[in-house]
CSV table of all heavy atoms in Angstrom, one decimal:
chain,number,residue,atom,x,y,z
U,36,ILE,N,167.5,-105.6,-32.8
U,36,ILE,CA,168.4,-106.1,-33.8
U,36,ILE,C,169.3,-107.2,-33.2
U,36,ILE,O,170.0,-106.9,-32.2
U,36,ILE,CB,169.2,-105.0,-34.5
U,36,ILE,CG1,168.3,-103.9,-35.0
U,36,ILE,CG2,170.1,-105.6,-35.6
U,36,ILE,CD1,167.4,-104.2,-36.1
U,37,GLU,N,169.3,-108.4,-33.8
U,37,GLU,CA,170.1,-109.5,-33.2
U,37,GLU,C,171.1,-109.9,-34.3
U,37,GLU,O,170.9,-109.8,-35.5
U,37,GLU,CB,169.2,-110.6,-32.8
U,37,GLU,CG,168.2,-110.3,-31.7
U,37,GLU,CD,167.4,-111.5,-31.3
U,37,GLU,OE1,167.6,-112.6,-31.9
U,37,GLU,OE2,166.6,-111.3,-30.4
U,38,PRO,N,172.2,-110.6,-33.8
U,38,PRO,CA,173.2,-111.2,-34.8
U,38,PRO,C,172.4,-112.3,-35.6
U,38,PRO,O,171.5,-112.9,-35.2
U,38,PRO,CB,174.2,-111.8,-33.9
U,38,PRO,CG,174.1,-111.1,-32.6
U,38,PRO,CD,172.7,-110.7,-32.5
U,39,TYR,N,172.9,-112.5,-36.8
U,39,TYR,CA,172.4,-113.5,-37.7
U,39,TYR,C,172.3,-114.9,-37.0
U,39,TYR,O,173.2,-115.3,-36.3
U,39,TYR,CB,173.2,-113.7,-39.0
U,39,TYR,CG,172.7,-114.8,-39.9
U,39,TYR,CD1,171.5,-114.6,-40.6
U,39,TYR,CD2,173.3,-116.0,-39.9
U,39,TYR,CE1,171.0,-115.6,-41.4
U,39,TYR,CE2,172.8,-117.1,-40.6
U,39,TYR,CZ,171.7,-116.8,-41.4
U,39,TYR,OH,171.1,-117.9,-42.2
U,40,ASP,N,171.2,-115.6,-37.2
U,40,ASP,CA,170.9,-116.8,-36.6
U,40,ASP,C,170.5,-117.9,-37.7
U,40,ASP,O,169.5,-117.7,-38.3
U,40,ASP,CB,169.8,-116.7,-35.6
U,40,ASP,CG,169.5,-118.0,-34.8
U,40,ASP,OD1,170.0,-119.1,-35.2
U,40,ASP,OD2,168.8,-117.9,-33.7
U,41,PRO,N,171.3,-118.9,-37.9
U,41,PRO,CA,171.0,-119.9,-38.9
U,41,PRO,C,169.6,-120.5,-38.7
U,41,PRO,O,169.0,-121.1,-39.6
U,41,PRO,CB,172.1,-121.0,-38.7
U,41,PRO,CG,173.2,-120.2,-38.1
U,41,PRO,CD,172.6,-119.2,-37.2
U,42,ALA,N,169.0,-120.5,-37.5
U,42,ALA,CA,167.7,-121.0,-37.2
U,42,ALA,C,166.6,-120.3,-38.0
U,42,ALA,O,165.5,-120.8,-38.2
U,42,ALA,CB,167.4,-121.0,-35.7
U,43,TRP,N,166.9,-119.1,-38.4
U,43,TRP,CA,165.9,-118.3,-39.2
U,43,TRP,C,165.6,-119.1,-40.5
U,43,TRP,O,164.5,-119.1,-41.0
U,43,TRP,CB,166.4,-116.9,-39.5
U,43,TRP,CG,166.5,-116.1,-38.3
U,43,TRP,CD1,165.9,-116.2,-37.1
U,43,TRP,CD2,167.4,-114.9,-38.1
U,43,TRP,NE1,166.3,-115.3,-36.2
U,43,TRP,CE2,167.2,-114.4,-36.8
U,43,TRP,CE3,168.3,-114.2,-38.9
U,43,TRP,CZ2,167.8,-113.3,-36.3
U,43,TRP,CZ3,168.9,-113.1,-38.4
U,43,TRP,CH2,168.7,-112.7,-37.1
U,44,ALA,N,166.6,-119.6,-41.2
U,44,ALA,CA,166.4,-120.4,-42.4
U,44,ALA,C,165.6,-121.6,-42.1
U,44,ALA,O,164.7,-122.0,-42.9
U,44,ALA,CB,167.7,-120.8,-43.0
U,45,GLN,N,165.8,-122.2,-41.0
U,45,GLN,CA,165.0,-123.4,-40.6
U,45,GLN,C,163.5,-123.0,-40.4
U,45,GLN,O,162.6,-123.8,-40.7
U,45,GLN,CB,165.6,-124.1,-39.4
U,45,GLN,CG,167.0,-124.6,-39.6
U,45,GLN,CD,167.7,-124.9,-38.3
U,45,GLN,OE1,167.1,-124.9,-37.3
U,45,GLN,NE2,169.0,-125.3,-38.4
U,46,ARG,N,163.3,-121.9,-39.7
U,46,ARG,CA,161.9,-121.4,-39.5
U,46,ARG,C,161.2,-121.1,-40.8
U,46,ARG,O,160.1,-121.4,-41.0
U,46,ARG,CB,162.0,-120.1,-38.7
U,46,ARG,CG,160.6,-119.7,-38.1
U,46,ARG,CD,160.6,-118.4,-37.3
U,46,ARG,NE,161.7,-118.3,-36.4
U,46,ARG,CZ,162.2,-117.1,-35.9
U,46,ARG,NH1,161.6,-116.0,-36.3
U,46,ARG,NH2,163.1,-117.1,-35.1
U,47,PHE,N,162.0,-120.5,-41.8
U,47,PHE,CA,161.4,-120.3,-43.1
U,47,PHE,C,161.0,-121.7,-43.8
U,47,PHE,O,159.9,-121.8,-44.3
U,47,PHE,CB,162.3,-119.6,-44.0
U,47,PHE,CG,161.9,-119.7,-45.5
U,47,PHE,CD1,160.8,-119.0,-46.0
U,47,PHE,CD2,162.7,-120.5,-46.3
U,47,PHE,CE1,160.4,-119.1,-47.3
U,47,PHE,CE2,162.3,-120.6,-47.7
U,47,PHE,CZ,161.2,-119.9,-48.1
U,48,ALA,N,161.9,-122.6,-43.7
U,48,ALA,CA,161.6,-123.9,-44.4
U,48,ALA,C,160.4,-124.6,-43.8
U,48,ALA,O,159.5,-125.1,-44.5
U,48,ALA,CB,162.8,-124.8,-44.2
U,49,ALA,N,160.2,-124.5,-42.5
U,49,ALA,CA,159.0,-125.1,-41.9
U,49,ALA,C,157.8,-124.3,-42.3
U,49,ALA,O,156.7,-124.9,-42.6
U,49,ALA,CB,159.2,-125.1,-40.3
U,50,ALA,N,157.8,-123.0,-42.3
U,50,ALA,CA,156.7,-122.2,-42.7
U,50,ALA,C,156.3,-122.4,-44.2
U,50,ALA,O,155.2,-122.6,-44.5
U,50,ALA,CB,157.0,-120.7,-42.5
U,51,ARG,N,157.3,-122.6,-45.0
U,51,ARG,CA,157.1,-122.8,-46.5
U,51,ARG,C,156.3,-124.1,-46.6
U,51,ARG,O,155.4,-124.2,-47.4
U,51,ARG,CB,158.4,-122.9,-47.2
U,51,ARG,CG,158.2,-123.2,-48.7
U,51,ARG,CD,159.6,-123.2,-49.5
U,51,ARG,NE,160.4,-124.2,-48.8
U,51,ARG,CZ,161.8,-124.2,-49.0
U,51,ARG,NH1,162.4,-123.4,-49.8
U,51,ARG,NH2,162.5,-125.1,-48.4
U,52,ALA,N,156.8,-125.2,-45.9
U,52,ALA,CA,156.1,-126.5,-46.0
U,52,ALA,C,154.6,-126.3,-45.6
U,52,ALA,O,153.7,-126.9,-46.3
U,52,ALA,CB,156.8,-127.5,-45.2
U,53,GLY,N,154.4,-125.6,-44.5
U,53,GLY,CA,153.0,-125.4,-44.1
U,53,GLY,C,152.1,-124.7,-45.1
U,53,GLY,O,151.0,-125.0,-45.3
U,54,LEU,N,152.7,-123.7,-45.7
U,54,LEU,CA,152.0,-122.9,-46.7
U,54,LEU,C,151.6,-123.8,-47.9
U,54,LEU,O,150.5,-123.7,-48.4
U,54,LEU,CB,152.8,-121.7,-47.2
U,54,LEU,CG,153.0,-120.6,-46.1
U,54,LEU,CD1,154.1,-119.6,-46.6
U,54,LEU,CD2,151.7,-119.9,-45.8
U,55,HIS,N,152.6,-124.6,-48.4
U,55,HIS,CA,152.3,-125.5,-49.5
U,55,HIS,C,151.2,-126.5,-49.1
U,55,HIS,O,150.3,-126.8,-50.0
U,55,HIS,CB,153.6,-126.2,-50.0
U,55,HIS,CG,154.4,-125.3,-50.9
U,55,HIS,ND1,154.0,-125.1,-52.2
U,55,HIS,CD2,155.6,-124.7,-50.7
U,55,HIS,CE1,155.0,-124.3,-52.8
U,55,HIS,NE2,155.9,-124.1,-51.9
U,56,GLU,N,151.3,-127.0,-47.9
U,56,GLU,CA,150.3,-128.0,-47.5
U,56,GLU,C,148.9,-127.4,-47.4
U,56,GLU,O,147.9,-128.0,-47.8
U,56,GLU,CB,150.7,-128.6,-46.2
U,56,GLU,CG,149.8,-129.7,-45.7
U,56,GLU,CD,150.3,-130.4,-44.4
U,56,GLU,OE1,151.5,-130.3,-44.1
U,56,GLU,OE2,149.4,-131.0,-43.8
U,57,ALA,N,148.8,-126.1,-46.9
U,57,ALA,CA,147.5,-125.5,-46.7
U,57,ALA,C,146.9,-125.0,-48.0
U,57,ALA,O,145.7,-125.0,-48.1
U,57,ALA,CB,147.7,-124.4,-45.7
U,58,LEU,N,147.7,-124.5,-48.9
U,58,LEU,CA,147.2,-123.8,-50.1
U,58,LEU,C,147.4,-124.6,-51.4
U,58,LEU,O,146.8,-124.2,-52.4
U,58,LEU,CB,147.9,-122.4,-50.2
U,58,LEU,CG,147.6,-121.4,-49.1
U,58,LEU,CD1,148.5,-120.2,-49.3
U,58,LEU,CD2,146.2,-121.0,-49.1
U,59,GLY,N,148.2,-125.6,-51.3
U,59,GLY,CA,148.3,-126.5,-52.5
U,59,GLY,C,148.7,-125.7,-53.8
U,59,GLY,O,149.6,-124.9,-53.8
U,60,ASP,N,148.0,-126.0,-54.8
U,60,ASP,CA,148.3,-125.5,-56.2
U,60,ASP,C,148.0,-124.0,-56.3
U,60,ASP,O,148.4,-123.4,-57.3
U,60,ASP,CB,147.5,-126.2,-57.2
U,60,ASP,CG,147.9,-127.7,-57.4
U,60,ASP,OD1,149.0,-128.0,-57.0
U,60,ASP,OD2,147.1,-128.4,-58.0
U,61,LEU,N,147.4,-123.4,-55.3
U,61,LEU,CA,147.2,-121.9,-55.3
U,61,LEU,C,148.5,-121.2,-55.1
U,61,LEU,O,148.6,-120.0,-55.6
U,61,LEU,CB,146.3,-121.6,-54.1
U,61,LEU,CG,145.7,-120.2,-54.1
U,61,LEU,CD1,144.8,-120.0,-55.4
U,61,LEU,CD2,144.8,-119.9,-52.9
U,62,VAL,N,149.5,-121.8,-54.6
U,62,VAL,CA,150.8,-121.2,-54.4
U,62,VAL,C,151.6,-121.1,-55.7
U,62,VAL,O,151.8,-122.1,-56.4
U,62,VAL,CB,151.7,-122.0,-53.4
U,62,VAL,CG1,153.1,-121.4,-53.3
U,62,VAL,CG2,151.0,-122.0,-52.0
U,63,VAL,N,151.9,-119.8,-56.1
U,63,VAL,CA,152.8,-119.6,-57.2
U,63,VAL,C,154.2,-119.7,-56.8
U,63,VAL,O,155.0,-120.3,-57.5
U,63,VAL,CB,152.5,-118.2,-57.9
U,63,VAL,CG1,153.4,-117.9,-59.0
U,63,VAL,CG2,151.0,-118.1,-58.3
U,64,ASP,N,154.6,-119.1,-55.7
U,64,ASP,CA,155.9,-119.2,-55.2
U,64,ASP,C,156.0,-118.8,-53.7
U,64,ASP,O,155.1,-118.0,-53.2
U,64,ASP,CB,156.8,-118.3,-56.0
U,64,ASP,CG,158.3,-118.6,-55.8
U,64,ASP,OD1,158.6,-119.7,-55.3
U,64,ASP,OD2,159.2,-117.8,-56.2
U,65,VAL,N,157.0,-119.2,-53.0
U,65,VAL,CA,157.2,-118.8,-51.6
U,65,VAL,C,158.7,-118.5,-51.5
U,65,VAL,O,159.5,-119.4,-51.9
U,65,VAL,CB,156.8,-119.9,-50.6
U,65,VAL,CG1,157.1,-119.5,-49.2
U,65,VAL,CG2,155.4,-120.4,-50.8
U,66,ALA,N,159.1,-117.4,-51.0
U,66,ALA,CA,160.5,-117.0,-50.9
U,66,ALA,C,160.8,-116.4,-49.5
U,66,ALA,O,160.0,-115.6,-49.0
U,66,ALA,CB,160.9,-116.0,-52.0
U,67,HIS,N,162.0,-116.8,-49.0
U,67,HIS,CA,162.5,-116.1,-47.8
U,67,HIS,C,163.2,-114.8,-48.3
U,67,HIS,O,164.1,-114.9,-49.1
U,67,HIS,CB,163.5,-117.1,-47.2
U,67,HIS,CG,164.0,-116.7,-45.8
U,67,HIS,ND1,165.0,-117.4,-45.2
U,67,HIS,CD2,163.7,-115.7,-45.0
U,67,HIS,CE1,165.2,-116.8,-44.0
U,67,HIS,NE2,164.4,-115.7,-43.9
U,68,VAL,N,162.7,-113.7,-47.7
U,68,VAL,CA,163.3,-112.4,-48.1
U,68,VAL,C,163.6,-111.6,-46.8
U,68,VAL,O,163.4,-112.2,-45.7
U,68,VAL,CB,162.3,-111.6,-49.0
U,68,VAL,CG1,162.1,-112.4,-50.3
U,68,VAL,CG2,161.0,-111.4,-48.3
U,69,GLY,N,164.0,-110.4,-47.0
U,69,GLY,CA,164.3,-109.6,-45.8
U,69,GLY,C,165.7,-110.0,-45.2
U,69,GLY,O,166.4,-110.9,-45.6
U,70,SER,N,166.0,-109.3,-44.1
U,70,SER,CA,167.3,-109.4,-43.5
U,70,SER,C,167.6,-110.8,-43.0
U,70,SER,O,168.8,-111.3,-43.0
U,70,SER,CB,167.5,-108.4,-42.4
U,70,SER,OG,167.5,-107.1,-42.9
U,71,THR,N,166.6,-111.6,-42.5
U,71,THR,CA,166.9,-112.9,-42.0
U,71,THR,C,167.3,-113.9,-43.0
U,71,THR,O,167.7,-115.0,-42.7
U,71,THR,CB,165.7,-113.4,-41.2
U,71,THR,OG1,164.5,-113.5,-42.1
U,71,THR,CG2,165.3,-112.6,-40.0
U,72,SER,N,167.1,-113.5,-44.3
U,72,SER,CA,167.4,-114.4,-45.4
U,72,SER,C,168.9,-114.2,-45.9
U,72,SER,O,169.3,-114.9,-46.8
U,72,SER,CB,166.5,-114.2,-46.6
U,72,SER,OG,166.7,-112.9,-47.2
U,73,VAL,N,169.6,-113.3,-45.3
U,73,VAL,CA,171.0,-113.0,-45.7
U,73,VAL,C,172.0,-113.5,-44.6
U,73,VAL,O,172.1,-112.8,-43.5
U,73,VAL,CB,171.2,-111.5,-45.9
U,73,VAL,CG1,172.6,-111.2,-46.4
U,73,VAL,CG2,170.2,-110.9,-46.9
U,74,PRO,N,172.7,-114.5,-44.8
U,74,PRO,CA,173.7,-115.0,-43.8
U,74,PRO,C,174.7,-113.9,-43.5
U,74,PRO,O,175.2,-113.2,-44.3
U,74,PRO,CB,174.4,-116.2,-44.6
U,74,PRO,CG,173.3,-116.7,-45.5
U,74,PRO,CD,172.6,-115.4,-46.0
U,75,GLY,N,174.9,-113.8,-42.1
U,75,GLY,CA,175.8,-112.8,-41.6
U,75,GLY,C,175.2,-111.4,-41.4
U,75,GLY,O,175.9,-110.5,-40.9
Side-chain angles (χ1 to χ4, degrees):
I36 306 294
E37 297 182 359
Y39 176 77
D40 185 345
W43 295 337
Q45 298 165 7
R46 194 184 312 158
F47 164 71
R51 178 181 56 197
L54 293 168
H55 277 288
E56 183 174 342
L58 296 173
D60 292 341
L61 194 61
V62 174
V63 174
D64 198 12
V65 181
H67 188 187
V68 296
S70 295
T71 61
S72 69
V73 180

